[in-house]
Amino acid sequence: MADASDDLSDLPAVFRDDVESVLIDAGQIERRLGELAAEIDRDYAGRELLLIGVLKGAVFAMADLARRITVPTAMDFMAVSSYGSSTSSSGVVRILKDLDTEIEGRHVLIVEDIVDSGLTLDYLLKNLRSRHPASIEIAALLTKPSRREVDLDARYVGFEVPDVFVVGYGLDYAERYRGLPSIVTLKPEVYGG
Ligand code: PRP
């Protein structure tokens, strides 16, 4: 994993005062997603893939991954609510928006921004497996292994991050900072930490 950087000069000015350090910059994200897309292309050669993005955090990873994958893909989205506080999830998951399409017999790749406790994806995997896809795998830009509460096997992982609160590239705090191009930590006073 990359070392945190104090150089905030590439960040949009509107966010800069709130950011403590850059954990993963935009270039690193771009390169890593390119590597994952190449892996996915190899693994799914000759097959069609259904990418399922989990709103809202996954929108950037979904868009950037989908643009790099060259096997034929379709896209769909789910929205779930984890009933957690704003910085941690409780494990109780409710579907706010279900898929528009049937997945029976299809090769499904769930795209997430982060696997934290793993409870959201554990629920989603069980739910989607009951619909009998031909295969189902997970691609997550970030994972926090130290926070895992369930055994979860994500096949494609961008970066492991330590147990620190991160935002940017889809990840929010109180719906803010999703548009940051990099994964950053916030100054503790911003989120009352
Ligand atoms: C985040 C993230 C995952 C989930 C991971 O979503 O996008 O879906 O939490 O946490 P877990 O592994 O502990 O279950 P969040 O509920 O913050 O919604 P958002 O994507 O709309 O920001």
Side-chain angles (χ1 to χ4, degrees), residues 70-91:
T70 61
V71 296
T73 55
M75 293 167 79
D76 205 339
F77 291 91
M78 287 184 85
V80 296
S81 161
S82 66
Y83 285 120
S85 69
S86 55
T87 56
S88 69
S89 61
S90 64

Side-chain angles (χ1 to χ4, degrees), residues 54-58 80-83 85-86 88-91 93 112-121 124 147-149 152 170-172 175 178:
V54 186
L55 297 171
K56 304 169 205 162
V80 296
S81 161
S82 66
Y83 285 120
S85 69
S86 55
S88 69
S89 61
S90 64
V93 176
E112 260 291 21
D113 51 347
I114 189 164
V115 190
D116 196 325
S117 68
L119 292 166
T120 304
L121 274 171
L124 276 179
R147 300 256 308 169
R148 203 72 90 251
E149 290 177 33
L152 193 88
L171 291 145
D172 73 310
E175 294 299 327
R178 292 192 198 273

Side-chain angles (χ1 to χ4, degrees), residues 44 62 123:
Y44 291 90
M62 180 83 163
Y123 169 83

Side-chain angles (χ1 to χ4, degrees), residues 81-170:
S81 161
S82 66
Y83 285 120
S85 69
S86 55
T87 56
S88 69
S89 61
S90 64
V92 183
V93 176
R94 184 164 59 110
I95 293 181
L96 302 177
K97 182 216 168 293
D98 208 336
L99 298 173
D100 294 334
T101 46
E102 303 291 328
I103 62 168
E104 184 171 353
R106 302 175 75 180
H107 296 286
V108 168
L109 181 60
I110 305 174
V111 181
E112 260 291 21
D113 51 347
I114 189 164
V115 190
D116 196 325
S117 68
L119 292 166
T120 304
L121 274 171
D122 187 57
Y123 169 83
L124 276 179
L125 272 179
K126 284 182 184 134
N127 182 295
L128 295 177
R129 275 191 183 124
S130 73
R131 307 182 197 190
H132 307 295
S135 68
I136 187 160
E137 299 290 350
I138 295 165
L141 178 66
L142 305 178
T143 180
K144 276 185 188 171
S146 59
R147 300 256 308 169
R148 203 72 90 251
E149 290 177 33
V150 287
D151 196 18
L152 193 88
D153 186 25
R155 178 148 185 181
Y156 308 99
V157 172
F159 303 90
E160 284 190 9
V161 289
D163 187 12
V164 291
F165 186 58
V166 290
V167 298
Y169 198 78

